Amino acid sequence: MASDQIRQMVNFILQEAHEKANEIRVKTEHDFNLEKQTRVHEAKLSIQEEFAKKEKDREIQERIARSAEIGECNVKKMKVRDDLLNNLLAEAGEKCAMVARGTNYPQLLQKLIVQGLIKIEEMDVTVYCRKDDASTVKSIIKAAVAEYVEIMERESGIKLSPKLTMNTDSSKDLPESSFGGVVLTALNGKIVCDNTMAARLELVYEELLPSIRAILFPEE
């Protein structure tokens, strides 16, 4: 009788132990599978993030390379255009130099001097020119002053007595790159009127530059 009760107790304990062991096994497998799924999911996310990062880096590098290529092309295009405009300006300068060799150049010099006197509005003025133009300028100074006086008297009713002298320092003669014309100064060089052919060409060029660009580069 007592032995049957002990056997029943033993069987009960063993049954409980089996059930507990089975419960532990099931829970362990569940936890293991859950952990495995979690790690696999995290690994997938990590791989996706790494791939997305590499893809983004690749796109950024492509954009940088494309931007650099576009920038380089724009620089080359701007250089070609600048070269073309500079060549155009150089050709215009050569034509100005041809004007300085023409028969009407003395009259042009006189008009440039008169215009300079009107602009500078001073009574003691020094005129500078190229070495090759010195004799021509010297021969027209008197006529230029007379024309200036006549214009001012007609316009203002006042007769002026300006003093116009030529530069005597050969080191200050205008360079050939001025293409001719004159520079007038007053008050020891504090007031300057650049009426050279190069200066006037530059003024015209700057004024016409938008139109020139529209003609040469209509795609803009």
Side-chain angles (χ1 to χ4, degrees):
M1 194 72 176
S3 60
D4 289 342
Q5 289 180 345
I6 291 172
R7 190 165 40 254
Q8 287 177 358
M9 290 179 64
V10 169
N11 289 338
F12 177 76
I13 292 171
L14 289 175
Q15 181 65 29
E16 285 290 324
H18 281 301
E19 290 179 358
K20 195 66 176 176
N22 187 56
E23 183 182 331
I24 291 172
R25 181 182 60 78
V26 171
K27 187 177 186 306
T28 301
E29 287 181 357
H30 176 269
D31 291 345
F32 171 76
N33 289 331
L34 184 61
E35 179 69 17
K36 183 173 70 173
Q37 288 177 0
T38 301
R39 293 196 176 188
V40 169
H41 181 66
E42 289 176 349
K44 285 182 179 179
L45 288 178
S46 179
I47 292 172
Q48 290 174 351
E49 288 176 0
E50 184 66 22
F51 177 79
K53 183 177 181 299
K54 288 183 178 180
E55 183 67 14
K56 186 176 181 180
D57 289 343
R58 183 186 63 80
E59 291 176 355
I60 290 173
Q61 291 302 318
E62 285 182 353
R63 285 200 297 268
I64 291 173
R66 188 161 56 248
S67 178
E69 185 177 352
I70 292 172
E72 185 177 351
C73 288
N74 286 337
V75 169
K76 288 181 179 178
K77 184 166 69 173
M78 291 301 295
K79 185 179 184 308
V80 169
R81 292 182 176 185
D82 285 345
D83 288 344
L84 181 58
L85 291 172
N86 288 333
N87 289 338
L88 182 65
L89 189 59
E91 290 177 8
E94 291 175 4
K95 285 186 169 50
C96 285
M98 290 176 61
V99 170
R101 293 192 292 270
T103 55
N104 292 327
Y105 185 52
Q107 289 90 335
L108 175 60
L109 278 176
Q110 180 172 327
K111 296 300 180 183
L112 291 174
I113 291 173
V114 171
Q115 186 183 61
L117 287 170
I118 293 173
K119 285 183 176 181
I120 210 165
E121 295 183 335
E122 292 291 334
M123 291 298 97
D124 191 353
V125 179
T126 303
V127 57
Y128 296 80
C129 63
R130 298 182 304 174
K131 180 180 179 181
D132 291 345
D133 293 338
S135 60
T136 303
V137 171
K138 185 179 292 186
S139 68
I140 62 171
I141 277 185
K142 188 175 181 180
V145 170
E147 183 178 350
Y148 167 70
V149 169
E150 190 273 329
I151 291 173
M152 297 305 292
E153 186 174 8
R154 184 176 67 244
E155 296 297 326
S156 66
I158 300 174
K159 186 168 184 177
L160 302 175
S161 300
K163 177 185 176 185
L164 182 61
T165 55
M166 283 189 62
N167 164 57
T168 56
D169 185 351
S170 60
S171 66
K172 295 182 179 179
D173 287 343
L174 300 184
E176 288 302 314
S177 59
S178 65
F179 304 129
V182 293
V183 170
L184 277 65
T185 69
L187 301 179
N188 295 319
K190 292 179 181 178
I191 301 177
V192 178
C193 176
D194 189 343
N195 237 3
T196 60
M197 301 290 280
R200 297 181 70 83
L201 173 61
E202 188 68 29
L203 287 173
V204 172
Y205 174 76
E206 292 295 334
E207 183 179 340
L208 295 179
L209 187 55
S211 299
I212 295 171
R213 286 187 178 278
I215 294 171
L216 294 178
F217 318 119
E219 70 277 12
E220 290 185 348

